[in-house]
Amino acid sequence: MFIVEIASECAPVAKVGGLADVVYGLTRELSIRGNDVEIILPKYDVMRYDQIWGLTVTYGDLLVPWYGSAIHCTVWFGFVHGHKCFFIDPHSSDNYFNRKLYYGSHDDPVRFAFFCKAALEFLLKTNKRPNVIHCHDWQTGLVPVLLFEMYQSLGMWEQRVCFTIHNFKHQGVTGGEVLWATGLGRPEYFFDYEKMRDNNNPFALNFTKGAIVYSNFVTTVSPHHAWETRFTSQGYGLEPTLEKYQGKYGGILNGVEYDVWNPEIDRFIPAQYSKDSIEEKYRNKEALRDRLWLNKNIKPVISYIGRLDGQKGLDLIYHAAFFALQRSAQFILLGLGSNQEINDRFGFLKNQLNDNPDCHIEIGFDEELSHLIYAGSDMVIVPSVYEPCGLTQMIALKYGTIPVVRSVGGLTNTVFDRDFSEKPWWERNGYTFRDLNNQGIESAMVRGIGLYFDFPQHFRQLMLNGMQYDFSWNHPGTHYLNIFEYIRHK
Ligand code: ADP
């Protein structure tokens, strides 16, 4: 099958969050299975150019119709870890992608509307006719709209679109200007609740809604989140639209890149280990404690690794630090705030606990240290308010580190409580809680810490249970291909 991934991120060249990992991981999996996969990205000035091999101009004169005139673009080609990537580079005074940032400009909807238009124009002009175009999040939401309202009649009759929503909170809600810019025009037609009109703001268009309406299939990144977005407020206003299109909507759990996240081959940890040599994990715990100047005692190490953002349950993370110490555990935090206020708040926590030899707070982003923390910890906490999929818990499981999570979104699909799950004991792999308050997380932590001290053999068994799970791209790869085959022949 010929598949084109159109996205605003792809690891490791242009990465802000999990979206980048999914685009890369899925491309790799689909390519291994013999599909022809190409990626189209904007050519940002802030990309990691050292991660692109053989970057050359492949199409010098792409004229993209824009506001009744046209913007001249250069399309570049390069390999990202062996995968074919095209980069759209517009030349105009707006400098859409040369702003030293990925997102956060006042005109983001216009920037990415342009990207959608340019990507389709590129496919049209180069006679590329993929079987499936796979788009991601609101930044590419106009692709299916433009394809079926415009480009189909220009010759792209056979193309089908699958749209994946990674984050419902950001939907690309904007005014009608993009209709003029892209040439879609006809505001009376598009400002319709059956088309792109936002469900909450009658004066706005919604890119994600448009994508749901027009795409042949829509997915989000875990089955449970697919349910939450329909039946709880986590659809952020899109619930009625998802209800209407439920027949073409579902959840597929993301995969983990086991080439990178695997304790058997991890080059960032001093002692590699597997299920059969799990006692080696202890050497990583020693190394972690050495590195962070923590006491070497019989206490369990409980960690948090992740962005510090309201989504992640900041109050509970804060509380968990004190609760762990109070219950004779050690606590490590590695995270970077999504704004200065959050960094200040956790900086204050750092000052408060700085002298405690059982605690380390690290404000920053450190990939290498994160590997050592996954390997050297006994438990990780993920007390998210909402979590479309979540990678932290899946990585932790692979490293024999027990996840203590709030049962939402993808966490519900991957972590099964040792004491209360309906699964057989050998499939239980962690601790879960529901209530978004201190008592909630305490109820789970206290059980994990208790098991560690009182029944170490059972704790070890729980670690082994987790390590046998397979959250590689193998299963998601099959699910996506099934969907692609289905829409292709519909
Ligand atoms: P999200 O996509 O919402 O940030 P995920 O759990 O899907 O959350 O993915 C987070 C990924 O980013 C994990 O691989 C985690 O290890 C990594 N990560 C997050 N914050 C940091 C940090 N401060 N330092 C190192 N790695 C981090």
Side-chain angles (χ1 to χ4, degrees), residues 15-19 21-22 166-167 254 261 304-309 311-312 333-337 362-371 373-374 382 384 386-395 411:
K15 175 166 172 170
V16 177
L19 163 63
D21 294 314
V22 174
H166 301 253
N167 194 333
N254 286 339
W261 298 108
Y304 174 82
I305 305 163
R307 289 184 300 121
L308 295 172
D309 181 275
Q311 172 201 340
K312 301 290 179 186
L333 180 146
L334 170 62
L336 187 61
E362 185 82 24
I363 313 288
F365 189 97
D366 190 336
E367 179 97 18
E368 190 190 332
L369 176 60
S370 77
H371 283 250
I373 298 178
Y374 281 116
V382 193
S384 301
Y386 72 94
E387 192 63 77
C389 178
L391 288 178
T392 319
Q393 80 283 10
M394 295 199 268
I395 297 172
L411 297 164

Coordinates of all heavy atoms in Angstrom, one line a residue, residues 15-19 21-22 166-167 254 261 304-309 311-312 333-337 362-371 373-374 382 384 386-395 411, ligand 1:
K15 N 10.1 17.4 17.1 CA 9.4 16.7 18.2 C 9.0 17.7 19.3 O 9.9 18.5 19.8 CB 10.3 15.6 18.8 CG 9.6 15.0 20.0 CD 10.2 13.7 20.5 CE 9.6 13.3 21.8 NZ 9.9 12.0 22.3
V16 N 7.7 17.8 19.6 CA 7.3 18.5 20.7 C 6.7 17.5 21.8 O 7.0 17.7 23.0 CB 6.2 19.5 20.3 CG1 5.6 20.2 21.6 CG2 6.7 20.5 19.3
G17 N 6.0 16.5 21.3 CA 5.5 15.6 22.3 C 5.2 14.2 21.6 O 5.9 13.8 20.6
G18 N 4.3 13.5 22.2 CA 4.0 12.1 21.8 C 3.6 11.9 20.4 O 3.9 10.9 19.7
L19 N 3.0 12.9 19.8 CA 2.6 12.9 18.4 C 3.8 12.5 17.5 O 3.7 11.7 16.6 CB 2.0 14.3 18.0 CG 1.9 14.6 16.5 CD1 0.9 13.6 15.8 CD2 1.4 16.0 16.3
D21 N 6.5 10.9 18.2 CA 6.9 9.5 18.4 C 5.9 8.5 17.6 O 6.3 7.5 17.0 CB 6.9 9.1 19.9 CG 7.9 9.8 20.6 OD1 9.1 9.9 20.1 OD2 7.6 10.4 21.7
V22 N 4.6 8.9 17.6 CA 3.7 8.0 16.9 C 3.9 8.1 15.4 O 3.9 7.1 14.7 CB 2.2 8.5 17.2 CG1 1.2 7.7 16.4 CG2 1.9 8.3 18.7
H166 N -4.7 13.1 18.6 CA -3.9 12.8 19.8 C -4.2 13.6 21.0 O -3.9 13.2 22.1 CB -2.4 13.1 19.4 CG -1.9 12.3 18.2 ND1 -1.1 11.2 18.3 CD2 -2.3 12.4 16.9 CE1 -0.8 10.7 17.1 NE2 -1.5 11.4 16.2
N167 N -4.8 14.7 20.8 CA -5.2 15.6 21.9 C -6.4 16.4 21.5 O -6.4 17.3 20.7 CB -4.0 16.6 22.1 CG -4.1 17.3 23.5 OD1 -5.3 17.5 24.0 ND2 -3.0 17.7 24.0
N254 N -1.3 3.5 21.2 CA 0.0 3.7 20.6 C 1.0 2.6 21.0 O 0.8 1.9 22.0 CB 0.6 5.0 21.2 CG -0.1 6.3 20.6 OD1 -0.7 6.2 19.6 ND2 0.0 7.4 21.3
W261 N 13.5 1.8 24.0 CA 13.1 1.5 25.4 C 13.1 0.0 25.6 O 12.0 -0.6 25.6 CB 11.7 2.1 25.6 CG 11.6 3.6 25.4 CD1 11.1 4.3 24.4 CD2 12.2 4.6 26.3 NE1 11.2 5.6 24.6 CE2 11.9 5.8 25.7 CE3 12.9 4.5 27.5 CZ2 12.3 7.0 26.3 CZ3 13.3 5.7 28.1 CH2 13.0 7.0 27.5
Y304 N 8.5 10.2 39.3 CA 7.6 10.8 38.3 C 8.5 11.3 37.2 O 9.5 12.0 37.4 CB 6.8 11.9 38.9 CG 6.0 12.6 37.8 CD1 4.8 12.1 37.4 CD2 6.6 13.7 37.1 CE1 4.1 12.7 36.3 CE2 5.9 14.3 36.1 CZ 4.7 13.8 35.6 OH 4.0 14.3 34.6
I305 N 8.2 10.8 36.0 CA 8.9 11.3 34.8 C 7.9 11.9 33.8 O 7.0 11.1 33.4 CB 9.7 10.2 34.1 CG1 10.7 9.5 35.0 CG2 10.5 10.8 32.9 CD1 11.2 8.2 34.5
G306 N 8.0 13.1 33.5 CA 7.0 13.6 32.5 C 6.9 15.1 32.5 O 7.5 15.8 33.3
R307 N 6.1 15.6 31.5 CA 5.9 17.0 31.5 C 5.2 17.4 32.8 O 4.3 16.7 33.3 CB 5.0 17.4 30.3 CG 5.7 17.2 29.0 CD 4.8 17.7 27.8 NE 3.5 16.9 27.7 CZ 2.3 17.4 27.8 NH1 2.1 18.7 28.0 NH2 1.3 16.6 27.7
L308 N 5.4 18.7 33.2 CA 4.7 19.2 34.4 C 3.6 20.1 33.8 O 3.9 21.3 33.4 CB 5.6 19.9 35.3 CG 6.7 19.1 36.0 CD1 7.7 19.9 36.8 CD2 6.0 18.1 36.9
D309 N 2.4 19.6 33.7 CA 1.4 20.3 33.0 C 0.1 20.0 33.8 O 0.0 18.9 34.3 CB 1.3 19.8 31.6 CG 0.2 20.5 30.8 OD1 -1.0 20.1 30.8 OD2 0.5 21.5 30.1
Q311 N -2.6 18.8 32.9 CA -3.1 17.5 32.5 C -2.5 16.4 33.3 O -3.2 15.3 33.4 CB -2.7 17.3 31.0 CG -3.0 15.9 30.4 CD -2.2 15.6 29.2 OE1 -1.7 16.4 28.5 NE2 -2.1 14.3 28.9
K312 N -1.4 16.5 33.9 CA -0.6 15.4 34.5 C -1.0 15.3 36.0 O -0.4 14.4 36.6 CB 0.9 15.6 34.3 CG 1.3 15.6 32.8 CD 1.1 14.3 32.2 CE 1.5 14.3 30.7 NZ 1.2 13.1 30.0
L333 N 11.8 13.1 41.0 CA 11.0 13.8 40.0 C 11.9 14.3 38.9 O 12.9 14.9 39.1 CB 10.2 14.9 40.6 CG 9.3 15.7 39.6 CD1 8.0 16.1 40.4 CD2 9.9 16.9 39.0
L334 N 11.5 14.0 37.6 CA 12.2 14.6 36.4 C 11.1 15.2 35.6 O 10.3 14.4 35.0 CB 13.0 13.5 35.7 CG 13.5 14.0 34.3 CD1 14.5 15.1 34.5 CD2 14.2 12.8 33.6
G335 N 11.1 16.5 35.5 CA 10.0 17.1 34.7 C 10.3 18.5 34.3 O 11.1 19.2 35.0
L336 N 9.7 19.0 33.3 CA 9.8 20.4 32.9 C 8.4 21.0 32.8 O 7.5 20.3 32.2 CB 10.5 20.5 31.5 CG 10.9 21.8 31.1 CD1 11.8 22.6 32.0 CD2 11.5 21.8 29.7
G337 N 8.2 22.1 33.4 CA 6.9 22.8 33.4 C 6.5 23.3 32.0 O 7.4 23.7 31.2
E362 N 14.3 17.2 39.8 CA 15.1 17.7 38.7 C 14.2 18.4 37.7 O 13.3 17.7 37.1 CB 15.8 16.5 38.0 CG 16.8 16.8 36.9 CD 18.1 17.2 37.4 OE1 18.5 16.8 38.5 OE2 18.8 18.0 36.7
I363 N 14.3 19.7 37.7 CA 13.5 20.4 36.7 C 14.2 20.6 35.4 O 15.2 21.3 35.4 CB 13.1 21.9 37.3 CG1 12.7 21.8 38.7 CG2 12.1 22.5 36.4 CD1 11.4 21.2 39.0
G364 N 13.8 19.9 34.4 CA 14.4 20.0 33.1 C 14.0 18.8 32.2 O 13.2 17.9 32.7
F365 N 14.6 18.8 31.0 CA 14.3 17.6 30.1 C 15.6 16.9 29.9 O 16.6 17.5 29.5 CB 13.7 18.1 28.8 CG 13.2 17.0 27.9 CD1 11.9 16.7 27.9 CD2 14.1 16.3 27.2 CE1 11.4 15.6 27.1 CE2 13.7 15.2 26.4 CZ 12.3 14.9 26.4
D366 N 15.7 15.6 30.3 CA 16.9 14.9 30.2 C 16.6 13.4 29.8 O 16.3 12.6 30.6 CB 17.6 14.9 31.5 CG 19.0 14.4 31.5 OD1 19.3 13.6 30.6 OD2 19.9 14.8 32.3
E367 N 16.7 13.2 28.5 CA 16.4 11.9 27.9 C 17.2 10.8 28.6 O 16.7 9.7 29.0 CB 16.6 11.9 26.4 CG 16.4 10.7 25.7 CD 15.0 10.6 25.1 OE1 14.3 11.6 24.9 OE2 14.6 9.5 24.7
E368 N 18.5 11.0 28.7 CA 19.4 10.0 29.2 C 19.1 9.7 30.6 O 19.0 8.5 31.0 CB 20.9 10.6 29.0 CG 21.9 9.6 29.3 CD 23.3 10.2 29.4 OE1 23.5 11.3 28.8 OE2 24.1 9.7 30.1
L369 N 18.9 10.7 31.4 CA 18.6 10.4 32.9 C 17.3 9.7 33.0 O 17.1 8.8 33.9 CB 18.6 11.8 33.6 CG 18.1 11.7 35.1 CD1 19.1 10.8 35.9 CD2 18.0 13.1 35.7
S370 N 16.4 10.0 32.1 CA 15.1 9.3 32.2 C 15.2 7.8 32.0 O 14.6 7.0 32.7 CB 14.1 9.9 31.1 OG 14.3 9.4 29.9
H371 N 16.1 7.4 31.2 CA 16.4 5.9 31.0 C 16.8 5.3 32.3 O 16.4 4.2 32.7 CB 17.4 5.6 29.9 CG 16.9 5.8 28.5 ND1 16.8 4.8 27.7 CD2 16.6 6.9 27.8 CE1 16.3 5.2 26.5 NE2 16.2 6.5 26.6
I373 N 16.3 6.5 35.3 CA 15.2 6.5 36.3 C 14.2 5.4 36.1 O 13.8 4.7 37.0 CB 14.5 7.9 36.3 CG1 15.5 9.0 36.7 CG2 13.4 7.9 37.3 CD1 14.9 10.4 36.7
Y374 N 13.9 5.1 34.8 CA 13.0 4.0 34.5 C 13.6 2.7 35.0 O 12.9 1.9 35.6 CB 12.7 3.9 33.0 CG 11.7 4.9 32.5 CD1 12.0 5.8 31.5 CD2 10.4 4.8 32.9 CE1 11.1 6.7 31.0 CE2 9.4 5.7 32.4 CZ 9.8 6.7 31.4 OH 8.9 7.5 30.9
V382 N 1.8 8.0 37.7 CA 1.2 8.7 36.6 C -0.3 9.1 37.0 O -1.2 8.4 36.6 CB 1.1 7.9 35.3 CG1 0.8 8.8 34.1 CG2 2.4 7.1 35.1
S384 N -2.5 11.2 36.2 CA -3.1 12.2 35.2 C -4.5 12.6 35.4 O -5.3 11.7 35.8 CB -2.9 11.7 33.8 OG -1.6 11.4 33.5
Y386 N -6.3 13.7 32.7 CA -6.7 13.0 31.5 C -5.4 12.5 30.8 O -4.4 13.1 30.9 CB -7.6 13.7 30.6 CG -7.0 14.9 29.8 CD1 -6.5 14.7 28.5 CD2 -6.8 16.1 30.4 CE1 -5.9 15.7 27.8 CE2 -6.3 17.2 29.6 CZ -5.8 16.9 28.4 OH -5.2 18.0 27.7
E387 N -5.5 11.4 30.1 CA -4.3 10.9 29.4 C -4.7 10.1 28.2 O -5.1 8.9 28.3 CB -3.6 9.9 30.4 CG -2.2 9.5 30.0 CD -1.2 10.7 29.8 OE1 -0.8 11.2 30.9 OE2 -1.0 11.1 28.7
P388 N -4.7 10.7 27.0 CA -5.2 10.0 25.8 C -4.6 8.6 25.6 O -5.3 7.7 25.4 CB -4.8 11.0 24.7 CG -4.7 12.3 25.3 CD -4.3 12.1 26.7
C389 N -3.2 8.5 25.8 CA -2.6 7.2 25.7 C -1.6 7.0 26.9 O -1.8 6.3 27.8 CB -1.9 7.0 24.4 SG -1.1 5.3 24.4
G390 N -0.6 7.8 26.8 CA 0.5 7.7 27.9 C 1.5 6.7 27.5 O 1.2 5.6 27.2
L391 N 2.8 7.2 27.5 CA 3.9 6.3 27.2 C 4.6 5.8 28.5 O 5.1 4.7 28.6 CB 4.9 7.0 26.3 CG 4.5 7.2 24.9 CD1 5.6 7.9 24.1 CD2 4.2 5.9 24.2
T392 N 4.6 6.7 29.5 CA 5.4 6.5 30.7 C 5.1 5.1 31.3 O 6.0 4.4 31.6 CB 5.1 7.6 31.7 OG1 5.0 8.8 31.0 CG2 6.1 7.7 32.8
Q393 N 3.8 4.8 31.4 CA 3.5 3.5 32.1 C 3.9 2.3 31.3 O 4.3 1.3 31.8 CB 2.0 3.5 32.4 CG 1.0 3.1 31.3 CD 0.8 4.3 30.3 OE1 1.5 5.3 30.4 NE2 -0.2 4.1 29.4
M394 N 3.8 2.5 29.9 CA 4.2 1.4 29.1 C 5.7 1.1 29.1 O 6.2 0.0 29.1 CB 3.7 1.6 27.6 CG 2.2 1.6 27.5 SD 1.6 1.4 25.9 CE 1.5 3.0 25.3
I395 N 6.5 2.2 29.1 CA 7.9 2.1 29.2 C 8.3 1.5 30.6 O 9.1 0.6 30.6 CB 8.6 3.5 29.1 CG1 8.3 4.1 27.7 CG2 10.1 3.4 29.3 CD1 8.8 5.6 27.5
L411 N -4.3 4.8 30.2 CA -3.8 4.1 31.4 C -4.7 3.0 31.8 O -4.3 2.0 32.3 CB -3.7 5.2 32.6 CG -2.7 6.3 32.3 CD1 -3.0 7.5 33.3 CD2 -1.3 5.8 32.5
Ligands
ADP1 P1 2.9 13.4 26.7 O1 2.9 13.0 25.3 O2 1.6 13.9 27.2 O3 4.0 14.3 27.1 P2 3.5 10.6 27.2 O4 3.5 9.8 28.5 O5 2.7 10.1 26.0 O6 3.1 12.0 27.6 O7 5.0 10.7 26.7 C1 6.0 11.3 27.5 C2 7.4 10.9 27.0 O8 8.3 12.0 27.2 C3 7.9 9.8 27.8 O9 8.8 9.0 26.9 C4 8.8 10.4 28.9 O10 9.8 9.6 29.3 C5 9.3 11.6 28.1 N1 9.5 12.8 29.0 C6 8.6 13.7 29.4 N2 9.2 14.6 30.2 C7 10.5 14.3 30.2 C8 11.6 15.0 30.9 N3 11.5 16.1 31.6 N4 12.9 14.4 30.7 C9 13.0 13.3 29.9 N5 12.0 12.7 29.3 C10 10.7 13.2 29.5

